Structures are given as structure tokens and as C-alpha cells.
């Protein structure tokens, strides 16, 4: 089966009236990734075989309910990569949503439909999930703001999971104000502490220099380094590709082991049809050994210790979100696989340590969006968003 592009990012489209006058999310519309259950409607998880072998949900995701209870209107369920196991945004069954910023580029996944719905203006909020980068990557490719909250803060009940130790609920918007409104509604369990008058920011010269948006990031650094309220700390001794490639390898192993524990029995029983690259990854997951898991857990433990030391030196870390613009739709499989490995070396930082990460678009090239991220200490999600407002003003 070949990938085909589709103009609509939706699996199911609803037409509810915008509502919620006087509520925090009044008049805001939400596109929901088709992993979240909505009572009375099927959840496809991006695969028809999944849909046909699972009953229609009777209970709605508490995240969807919370958004509705605060005034938001659900306008549809959106296309996702199959079982959320890809960062490309492609789907051989339901189609690849067209990137509104550049139709020749991938939309990014696995929250592809939610990202495209927001980028094209048919929704204000794109609800998705992020295990290995599935909020941050499509936000970058579509020129959006995107938040992966701290792991474990938001409920993943009544949705199709992938790897529970890494799965997070996240969302994308066209502006930081709307994104923050959603955070105020959903992240009520986290304390809102003020940020200090002088903020310490970490960065990696090595990672910055290897990315396509290097010149834009350098402009940001040069502009903000003159601000008395900011101090910068170079972190290439920890945040370098040699170290992060090992961490990303451990992430893939731990994620893969959990994926097989989550979905392996269903795959063996029903023999679903997957895209070739996704099928190959599931088959790889099948073969992960306990020894490999143990080695990966050791690397994760050591990395978390390194990250704890980093956040003793800085308040936030500023890094490129992706290696650059979205890959071309027609990029060959070998080059796409190599790109994926580099991408995971960047997204694994927040994933392995359970940290909140916010993507900020850099408006340099209208048709090739890319951007930077601010990563915060775990459970400092509100402080991260508060600082982002200040940081954007300084830029």
C-alpha cells in the first residue's frame, strides 16, 4: 500500500456550536487525536484492524471531558500514525494529512491530524500524545506552539497507549495565550511558583551548530545574552550527540519493550496490516531481551542523574526541537530512518527524564517552519510557560 496525501486531517468530523460563554475555553475548538476515546464513537488508533477488533468506547477520556467542561467544543477526531508508532505523520490506511505550510513536506507525527487541523485553522487546539516526540515534532513542522507536559501529570486513561512509562498527553496551538489557557485547565495538580528575577539558561553549542536553524538560534542567543535578567550556561559536556545517541538507543529499547508488552498479544492474535516501516519496528520490539532492557535502564538512570545535575546549574534548557525543517514527503526510506535516529537523539532528553518541553516556532521561513524548545525541570510546567512569555518578549 502506498502513502497518499489527504486534504482533511479528520477521521470523524463533528459540527457542534462553539459554546462555553464565561468559561476558560469558551469559543475554542478542539481537534482530538484518534487515540482518545469519545463515548459512542469508534477509536481507530490509525489502523482499521484495531478499530474492527475493539468495541466502541462507552467512556470518554477524562482529558476530553475536562476540555468540554471548561467550554471547549470538540470538532473532530484526527488521523494519527498507526498506534502512534511513528514521527512522520503518514498513514497508509487513512492518508497523510497535507502540511499546510508546505505540501511537499511531511506533517510530522504521530499527532499529525491534530497539528494540521490547527495549522489550517479548522481547530484552535490540537489534542495529541507525545511518547517520543509526537507533539513537539508536528508542532515544529507546522509552525505551531506545542507542549509536552511532565510525564505522569495528566491521565492517560480511556485512550490507546503506546509505552506507558513515556506516554504523555499534550496539545498544540497557533499562539502561546491559547496554549496557556489549556494548561491552566488541565495542569491543576501542579503548583504555580514564580520564576526568579534572574533566569539561568542552559544551551549546547554542539547541538545548535549541527541543526539547520543554527543561524536563527544564534540570533536568539546573541539578542538575549545582553539581557541582565538572563545568564547562559554551556552544557555540551552533557548535551552532545555522542552521549545523546546512547541515550536515544536506550530510549528506543525501553519504549520498544513496553510497546510489545502493550500491543504484542493483539498483534500476534490479529495479524494487522501495518505500513512496512511500522511493521518492521513492531517486529524489532518482539525481539528485545531482558538483558537489553536492563542495560537500557542503567543508561536511563545515569542520564537522569546527569539531568538532575544540569537543573542544579540552570532553570531551563534551550535547544533546537528538531534537526531542521520537516523531511520531504518523497525522502527515501534509508535517509528517513537516519533522520529519525538523529531526531530521537534530540527528543529523548525530555522523554527519558519525564520533563516538560515547550516548542516555540521561529518565524524565519514561512514555508519551512522550524523552531526551538525550552525544557524545564520535572513538574515545573507552569514556570516553563511563564518564562516562555518573557523569553518571547526578549526575542
Amino acid at each position: 500500500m502506498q502513502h497518499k496525501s489527504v486534504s482533511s486531517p479528520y477521521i470523524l468530523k463533528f459540527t457542534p456550536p462553539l459554546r462555553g460563554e464565561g468559561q476558560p475555553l469558551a469559543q475554542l475548538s478542539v481537534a482530538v487525536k484518534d487515540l482518545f476515546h469519545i463515548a459512542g464513537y469508534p477509536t481507530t488508533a490509525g489502523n482499521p484492524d484495531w478499530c474492527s477488533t475493539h468495541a466502541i468506547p462507552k467512556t470518554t477520556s477524562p482529558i476530553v471531558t475536562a476540555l468540554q467542561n471548561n467550554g471547549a467544543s470538540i470538532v473532530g477526531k484526527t488521523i494519527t500514525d498507526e498506534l502512534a508508532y511513528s514521527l512522520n505523520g503518514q498513514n497508509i490506511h487513512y492518508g497523510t494529512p497535507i502540511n499546510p505550510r508546505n505540501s511537499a513536506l511531511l506533517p510530522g507525527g504521530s499527532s499529525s491530524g491534530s497539528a494540521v487541523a490547527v495549522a489550517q485553522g479548522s481547530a484552535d487546539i490540537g489534542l495529541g500524545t507525545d511518547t517520543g516526540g509526537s507533539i513537539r515534532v508536528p508542532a515544529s513542522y507546522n509552525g505551531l506552539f506545542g507542549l509536552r507536559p511532565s510525564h505522569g501529570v495528566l491521565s492517560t486513561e480511556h485512550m490507546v497507549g503506546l509505552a506507558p512509562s513515556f506516554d504523555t498527553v499534550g496539545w498544540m496551538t497557533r499562539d502561546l495565550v491559547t496554549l496557556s489557557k489549556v494548561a491552566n485547565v488541565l495542569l491543576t495538580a501542579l503548583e504555580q511558583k514564580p520564576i526568579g528575577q534572574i533566569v539561568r539558561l542552559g544551551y549546547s553549542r554542539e547541538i545548535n551548530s549541527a541543526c539547520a536553524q543554527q543561524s536563527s538560534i544564534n540570533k536568539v542567543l546573541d539578542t538575549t545574552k545582553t539581557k541582565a535578567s538572563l545568564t547562559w550556561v554551556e552544557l555540551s559536556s552533557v548535551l552532545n550527540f555522542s552521549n545523546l545517541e546512547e541515550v536515544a538507543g536506550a530510549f528506543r529499547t525501553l519504549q520498544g519493550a513496553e510497546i510489545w508488552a502493550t500491543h504484542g498479544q493483539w498483534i500476534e492474535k490479529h495479524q494487522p496490516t501495518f505500513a512496512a516501516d511500522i511493521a518492521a519496528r513492531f517486529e524489532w520490539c518482539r525481539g528485545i531481551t531482558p538483558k537489553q532492557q536492563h542495560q537500557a535502564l542503567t543508561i536511563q538512570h545515569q542520564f537522569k542523574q546527569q539531568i538532575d545535575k544540569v537543573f542544579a546549574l540552570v532553570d531551563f534548557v534551550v535547544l533546537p526541537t528538531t534537526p531542521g525543517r520537516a523531511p520531504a514527503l518523497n525522502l527515501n526510506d534509508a535517509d528517513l530512518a537516519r533522520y529519525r535516529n538523529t531526531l530521537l537523539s534530540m527528543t529523548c532528553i525530555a522523554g527519558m527524564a519525564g520533563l516538560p518541553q515547550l516548542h516555540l516556532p521561529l518565524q524565519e521561513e514561512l514555508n519551512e517552519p522550524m523552531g526551538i524548545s525550552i525544557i524545564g525541570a520535572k513538574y515545573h510546567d507552569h514556570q516553563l510557560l511563564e518564562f516562555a512569555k518573557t523569553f518571547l518578549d526578549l526575542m
Side-chain angles (χ1 to χ4, degrees), residues 180-181 183-195 379-386 389:
S180 297
K181 286 181 179 179
N184 290 336
V185 163
L186 294 182
L187 300 179
T188 55
L190 296 178
E191 190 175 356
Q192 299 193 36
K193 293 182 179 179
I195 56 176
Y379 304 132
H380 286 207
D381 303 46
H382 288 299
Q383 293 92 318
L384 170 60
L385 292 172
E386 188 62 31
K389 299 172 188 174

Side-chain angles (χ1 to χ4, degrees), residues 1 27 32 67-68 74 161 183 225 229 250 295 310 313:
M1 296 177 69
Q27 302 298 302
V32 177
L67 296 173
Q68 290 178 305
I74 307 303
K225 277 183 177 180
S229 59
Q295 291 171 336
V310 163
L313 298 173

Side-chain angles (χ1 to χ4, degrees), residues 58 77 82 95 111 121 155 169 200 211 213 235 250 261 283 311 317 330 357 383 389-391:
K58 297 180 180 179
K77 301 192 78 178
E82 295 176 81
S111 306
S155 173
V169 172
R200 303 165 300 166
C211 294
Q213 60 270 53
L235 297 173
E283 188 59 31
F311 280 103
V317 176
N330 60 359
Q357 181 171 346
Q383 293 92 318
K389 299 172 188 174
T390 303
F391 192 67

Side-chain angles (χ1 to χ4, degrees), residues 5 21 155:
S5 295
E21 186 174 348
S155 173

Side-chain angles (χ1 to χ4, degrees), residues 196-203 221 224-235 313-318 387 391 394:
Q197 290 186 332
I198 297 178
V199 178
R200 303 165 300 166
L201 298 178
Y203 72 105
L221 290 173
T224 56
K225 277 183 177 180
T226 63
K227 308 299 181 181
S229 59
L230 302 179
T231 60
W232 288 88
V233 180
E234 217 287 321
L235 297 173
L313 298 173
V314 303
D315 300 298
F316 305 101
V317 176
V318 179
F387 172 69
F391 192 67
L394 293 175

